[in-house]
Amino acid sequence: MAEFLELNGVEVVDTFAEAFPMKGTRAIITAVSPRWAGIAAAEMSGYATSVIACDAEVAVERQLSPDETPDGRPGVSVLAFGFDRDSLASAVQGRIGQCVLTTPTTACYNGIQDCPKEKQIQVGGAIRFFGDGFQFSKQLGSQRFWRIPTMDGEFLCEDRFGTVTGVGGGNLILCGDSQANTLHATEVAVEAISKCPDSILPFPGGIVRSGSKVGSQYKKLRASTNEAYCPTLRPLAESELPDGCNAVYEIVIDGLSPEAVQNAMRAGLHSASSCEGVLRITAGNYGGKLGKHHFYLRDLL
């Protein structure tokens, strides 16, 4: 039997979110205006919700003012995560080459400083070949940049990006009395989490409607619907839902450190618990057997 804690009158299951080590990096995208920096960041973040089926997990971390960027222009910080450094490098090279290089007026810079060379990934140094021999490099101190000619001028991209061993898969599961109330509470939680540095929410709008479990009755699938949290399946499968629950949404968090994920989960938990219609908040895990990071909800109260 599950044991329950309480926060703002809402049941909080005494459980933990199970998360995994992932390699992460930060790209700083700048452009002539916030609009064009945002467009590039949105394109780069496309189809990047889960490494179950995507090449990386990518999302906007936050907007940057001109005094926070390397070239004094408006910018956006984007975090990207992969299972290992090689796959992360491939995903970031492809996404910056196809989505940022192609966007008018953009430049792209490394957002992880003081990283040992053996833990860096090549980005501009791989994209430079698009210049077809007309590309140029520029060295500023220890940093190398590539200038790739484009039809509106040139695309400036830093040669190498730093990486860290981050965390993927921190999560909260919100159970509510109606779709409208549960969605609103999850949106409130997402808004609170979006203010937490060094973390992202890779799913659409930060919210997952299709929570999954490991495996499937179909052998080719690595994951499938988590029937225990589907309200319509209560007559057909064992349910984990409280009485009166008619909608469930999940929030998945990736971070550059365990502390970043924990802080984001805490912000989301406290914000959601103050909203009308929330009946229970829990988290997803696999019994502690798959992921080394365990974020206990009781520690977040």
Side-chain angles (χ1 to χ4, degrees):
M1 290 289 293
E3 296 184 9
F4 299 99
L5 308 166
E6 185 177 299
L7 181 63
N8 296 325
V10 174
E11 286 183 350
V12 176
V13 180
D14 191 6
T15 187
F16 61 92
E18 187 170 353
F20 309 85
M22 297 183 79
K23 300 302 181 183
T25 191
R26 175 188 282 119
I28 304 299
I29 301 170
T30 68
V32 70
S33 68
R35 174 174 179 262
W36 282 113
I39 288 172
E43 293 292 333
M44 181 181 170
S45 302
Y47 187 43
T49 57
S50 171
V51 288
I52 290 174
C54 305
D55 63 350
E57 298 182 6
V58 189
V60 170
E61 179 187 14
R62 65 186 185 95
Q63 308 296 315
L64 300 173
S65 61
D67 62 0
E68 295 178 290
T69 65
D71 60 13
R73 302 193 301 169
V76 177
S77 171
V78 175
L79 301 186
F81 294 85
F83 272 139
D84 56 63
R85 201 169 285 113
D86 289 343
S87 63
L88 178 64
S90 178
V92 170
Q93 291 164 5
R95 289 171 180 274
I96 291 178
Q98 291 298 306
C99 304
V100 184
L101 166 63
T102 58
T103 303
T105 78
T106 57
C108 195
Y109 304 94
N110 167 41
I112 302 288
Q113 304 298 328
D114 301 321
C115 177
K117 188 171 183 179
E118 66 271 14
K119 295 184 178 180
Q120 296 173 6
I121 57 175
Q122 194 168 52
V123 180
I127 297 170
R128 76 181 193 271
F129 296 108
F130 180 75
D132 199 27
F134 295 100
Q135 67 271 17
F136 298 93
S137 68
K138 186 175 184 65
Q139 187 86 18
L140 294 176
S142 62
Q143 295 172 286
R144 180 179 294 277
F145 301 86
W146 285 97
R147 300 168 60 188
I148 303 170
T150 62
M151 294 189 296
D152 70 347
E154 65 180 21
F155 175 64
L156 182 67
C157 187
E158 198 157 346
D159 181 49
R160 303 182 69 86
F161 284 29
T163 70
V164 299
T165 300
V167 177
N171 68 85
L172 295 169
I173 300 173
L174 278 61
C175 308
D177 61 2
S178 69
Q179 185 185 83
N181 281 340
T182 313
L183 180 57
H184 172 71
T186 313
E187 290 173 332
V188 169
V190 164
E191 178 65 22
I193 292 171
S194 68
K195 299 175 183 177
C196 298
D198 299 335
S199 63
I200 58 168
L201 303 171
F203 281 88
I207 300 174
V208 188
R209 71 183 300 206
S210 55
S212 61
K213 66 178 184 296
V214 174
S216 167
Q217 64 174 306
Y218 304 105
K219 294 182 179 180
K220 292 184 178 181
L221 291 184
R222 297 167 61 187
S224 59
T225 192
N226 194 344
E227 68 273 7
Y229 289 94
C230 294
T232 58
L233 295 182
R234 268 184 290 209
L236 305 175
E238 186 175 345
S239 178
E240 295 289 340
L241 301 180
D243 292 341
C245 176
N246 291 297
V248 179
Y249 289 110
E250 183 177 5
I251 298 171
V252 173
I253 303 163
D254 295 342
L256 295 179
S257 67
E259 293 77 18
V261 172
Q262 185 176 54
N263 290 338
M265 287 182 59
R266 180 181 291 109
L269 177 64
H270 282 258
S271 298
S273 68
S274 65
C275 294
E276 180 181 356
V278 178
L279 304 175
R280 179 180 294 174
I281 300 176
T282 185
N285 63 67
Y286 314 97
K289 298 177 181 179
L290 298 179
K292 64 177 285 187
H293 298 287
H294 301 162
F295 299 100
Y296 285 86
L297 299 188
R298 65 164 48 248
D299 295 335
L300 308 178
L301 299 182

